[in-house]
Amino acid sequence: MARIAGRFRRVEPRATARAYLLGLLSGVERKNCWRLAEQAGHARPGPMQRLLRSARWNADKVRDEVRAYAVDHLGAAGGVLVVDETGFVKKGRASAGVQRQYTGTAGRIENSQVGVFLAYATSRGRALIDRRLYLPEHSWCSDAERRRAAGVPDDIEFATKPRLAWQMIAAALDAGVAAPWVTGDEAYGQDPHLRAALEAHGTGYVLAVACATRVRINHDRTPVRADTLVTRLPETAWQRQSAGAGAKGPRYYEWAWIGIGTDEHRHLLIRRNPTTRELAFYLCWSPTAVPLAELVRVAGTRWSVEECFQAAKGQVGLDHYQVRHWTAWHRHITLAMLALAFLAAVAASTTPPRPTDPDRPARSRDPIDLTVPEIRHLLAASFNSSATPPARLLHWSNWRRRHQATARRSHYQRRLADAASG
């Protein structure tokens, strides 16, 4: 709160924002204004609702503080900016940006809002540092009455999701975020304007693309489909490398890379699942020459944004809001991002540096490091006036984490044995 207190002009909304954040970090099941007001001891939800709708404070300024806070606590060499979107399933048609559209949250077309997010990931942790609410072109941008009812500012124009992604990336880089790489899925990798903007800025990228993507090799004039190139690769072209540690051990895949175009720093990266033989493709560019292992590392970092979404929705109520207004959406999302960044910062501060191979767990019987869900659980228990004594809380936390460490070592040993045999 000391970090963002200056962004509130009056003491009342500042105190309400503090109560709102404490509520997001609490054990309240549904983190909407009604439940958060009850958690804070308010007689009614009015103060929480005003905080999101009409109180005088700028969510973008607080967003800037969230970004700076995350970089201060999680910053490390080789940082990666990860772009992705997530859906918020809604009923009705009054919520800003809502329409029937595909959302990965539901896995199908649903009546929903879609937010495009930017995550910052390093070896110390990851957090969401920016957000944009996607405003559909035909059903919203050209409907003045609907925009007015939902509080959409007049200067907001239609922008594709890759365009929204570039706005956030540019803002982060201009703010001094040290991130030499950007990664994202096909929705962003297929956009040539985003790739061109990153290259013009001198920022490397590893962006997923479809198998039908056409590339030029060996100065050929005729582009070739990416999946066609795979059939031409000898088996010696594939190298087994880990894309980073997962919940059940290192994520080993087989990788190949092919120089494309006339730029020696431009590659097509191909990932093959050693079990299912499923393929994934990435367009890569870097301002200087880098080894295959670096491209594999960046490609593997893309999944950190999914972990952010899972933690933000499961731990701090990113999707629990019950608001329709444009301003209220951005305010709730920003405060949830701050709560998540705080948990990530605490987790980073309690994790000792380990110079050993990150794909191999510690051999001792020590418990696993404190995770974001475990820290949130301990905080929620501490906020409860009838909480379990601290010694008992820590006893159970250590027991859980030792049990998880045992399970993780078993998973890692199995994965490493499979990799060695393969």
Side-chain angles (χ1 to χ4, degrees):
M1 277 306 301
R3 189 78 182 232
I4 67 170
R7 300 301 184 180
F8 297 88
R9 298 185 179 184
R10 296 177 58 85
V11 66
E12 294 86 359
R14 185 185 309 141
T16 304
R18 181 181 184 276
Y20 200 95
L21 282 167
L22 287 173
L24 295 178
L25 293 167
S26 74
V28 175
E29 182 179 357
R30 294 296 298 174
K31 303 178 191 299
N32 54 46
C33 286
W34 290 71
R35 295 297 179 88
L36 296 184
E38 181 182 5
Q39 170 73 15
H42 296 173
R44 51 192 176 81
M48 296 293 187
Q49 293 170 338
R50 283 196 298 274
L51 176 73
L52 298 185
R53 180 68 182 267
S54 58
R56 300 183 65 182
W57 62 283
N58 190 317
D60 286 345
K61 297 294 185 181
V62 175
R63 180 273 322 273
D64 293 345
E65 297 290 355
V66 174
R67 181 175 58 211
Y69 177 83
V71 172
D72 287 349
H73 291 274
L74 305 178
V80 180
L81 296 175
V82 192
V83 293
D84 201 1
E85 63 198 61
T86 190
F88 304 90
V89 177
K90 294 293 173 183
K91 296 181 179 179
R93 64 185 303 275
S95 299
V98 72
Q99 71 167 15
R100 286 189 60 79
Q101 54 192 325
Y102 178 82
T103 167
T105 303
R108 59 183 181 272
I109 295 176
E110 282 281 358
N111 198 62
S112 61
Q113 296 169 296
V114 171
V116 182
F117 287 80
L118 184 69
Y120 177 62
T122 71
S123 58
R124 303 192 63 207
R126 70 268 312 172
L128 300 173
I129 61 171
D130 206 347
R131 72 289 178 268
R132 295 288 192 280
L133 179 60
Y134 173 68
L135 198 66
E137 182 176 13
H138 301 295
S139 60
W140 275 93
C141 289
S142 58
D143 191 333
E145 182 178 352
R146 198 178 188 191
R147 290 170 58 110
R148 191 179 309 109
V152 179
D154 293 338
D155 60 345
I156 298 296
E157 300 178 349
F158 173 72
T160 64
K161 294 169 187 175
R163 177 62 182 170
L164 295 176
W166 170 244
Q167 292 173 4
M168 294 187 292
I169 294 167
L173 296 175
D174 290 345
V177 177
W181 291 101
V182 168
T183 187
D185 65 16
E186 289 183 22
Y188 305 93
Q190 295 289 149
D191 188 272
H193 302 291
L194 176 59
R195 300 198 305 268
L198 290 169
E199 292 179 22
H201 201 282
T203 301
Y205 60 76
V206 178
L207 295 168
V209 293
C211 62
T213 300
R214 293 181 175 273
V215 296
R216 289 185 173 88
I217 60 172
N218 298 328
H219 304 282
D220 288 346
R221 293 184 178 182
T222 304
V224 182
R225 280 177 56 118
D227 53 0
T228 301
L229 289 176
V230 175
T231 63
R232 304 179 184 178
L233 292 175
E235 198 59 30
T236 55
W238 297 94
Q239 301 181 38
R240 178 166 293 197
Q241 295 193 21
S242 170
K248 296 184 178 181
R251 295 172 291 151
Y252 278 105
Y253 295 96
E254 294 166 346
W255 302 84
W257 59 338
I258 305 170
I260 57 177
T262 58
D263 187 343
E264 62 178 355
H265 302 151
R266 194 181 304 277
H267 294 88
L268 174 69
L269 177 67
I270 308 168
R271 187 192 74 197
R272 186 172 70 182
N273 187 305
T275 303
T276 65
R277 315 300 280 183
E278 180 183 3
L279 299 171
F281 302 88
Y282 305 84
L283 288 181
C284 311
W285 179 85
S286 58
T288 58
V290 296
L292 172 63
E294 179 69 356
L295 299 182
V296 169
R297 180 188 73 85
V298 177
T301 303
R302 191 185 77 78
W303 295 105
S304 61
V305 71
E306 301 291 348
E307 296 171 353
C308 285
F309 289 150
Q310 182 180 6
K313 292 181 178 182
Q315 303 299 323
V316 297
L318 184 77
D319 59 341
H320 292 188
Y321 61 88
Q322 293 178 336
V323 299
R324 297 175 173 177
H325 199 267
W326 175 275
T327 298
W329 186 90
H330 285 84
R331 289 180 172 185
H332 168 83
I333 295 297
T334 302
L335 293 175
M337 286 166 44
L338 177 56
L340 179 65
F342 167 72
L343 293 175
V346 174
S349 71
T350 62
T351 303
R354 291 192 179 96
T356 56
D357 183 353
D359 284 341
R360 293 181 179 270
R363 294 185 179 182
S364 70
R365 297 182 59 83
D366 292 340
I368 66 168
D369 297 328
L370 282 165
T371 62
V372 164
E374 185 69 16
I375 292 170
R376 210 275 308 167
H377 169 75
L378 293 173
L379 286 172
S382 301
F383 295 156
N384 189 343
S385 59
S386 59
T388 305
R392 187 174 300 174
L393 283 175
L394 293 176
H395 163 77
W396 278 104
S397 176
N398 287 331
W399 185 90
R400 282 190 296 270
R401 293 186 293 120
R402 284 195 178 94
H403 179 77
Q404 291 166 343
T406 300
R408 188 176 68 172
R409 279 194 295 272
S410 298
H411 288 309
Y412 270 57
Q413 289 168 358
R414 187 177 301 112
R415 287 285 181 90
L416 291 171
D418 291 344
S421 62

